[in-house]
Amino acid sequence: SDVTMHRLAQNAFSRKLLARGDVLFHSAERATDMYFVAKGSLEYVCTESRADFRVKPVRKDEEWVSEPVLWLSEWYHVGLLTSLV
């Protein structure tokens, strides 16, 4: 219903403002939120040795970060997420 969608939008989403160089999360930190980039870009540096990549850009409207937190009862980040702009 419209009421349910409105409540979801009001309570499930929040905005975080980051300056260049701000760290959103660190490796081995417990994940609590999923993130979308609305403006600017971030850089994800993976610390997991088995990863297919080491550094990955995360740009506006292209990707999301930390989706497993939605499906797992406990999950820890395996990289560092930093704001570029």
Side-chain angles (χ1 to χ4, degrees):
S1 76
D2 289 341
V3 172
T4 301
M5 290 306 293
H6 179 72
R7 287 181 182 159
L8 179 64
Q10 290 290 96
N11 297 311
F13 296 97
S14 65
R15 181 175 291 207
K16 288 187 182 270
L17 301 176
L18 303 172
R20 183 185 311 258
D22 283 353
V23 174
L24 190 57
F25 59 74
H26 295 270
S27 184
E29 182 179 328
R30 185 173 183 176
T32 58
D33 300 293
M34 180 176 169
Y35 302 100
F36 296 92
V37 180
K39 187 174 182 182
S41 61
L42 305 170
E43 179 179 73
Y44 182 73
V45 178
C46 184
T47 56
E48 176 67 35
S49 61
R50 298 173 300 181
D52 295 335
F53 64 91
R54 292 301 270 162
V55 178
K56 183 178 182 185
V58 182
R59 296 186 182 95
K60 174 186 173 230
D61 298 331
E62 289 183 2
E63 299 178 48
W64 54 86
V65 178
S66 301
E67 181 184 5
V69 76
L70 298 177
W71 319 118
L72 301 172
S73 60
E74 189 171 300
W75 186 69
Y76 292 85
H77 296 293
V78 292
L80 176 76
L81 188 64
T82 306
S83 174
L84 296 178
V85 288

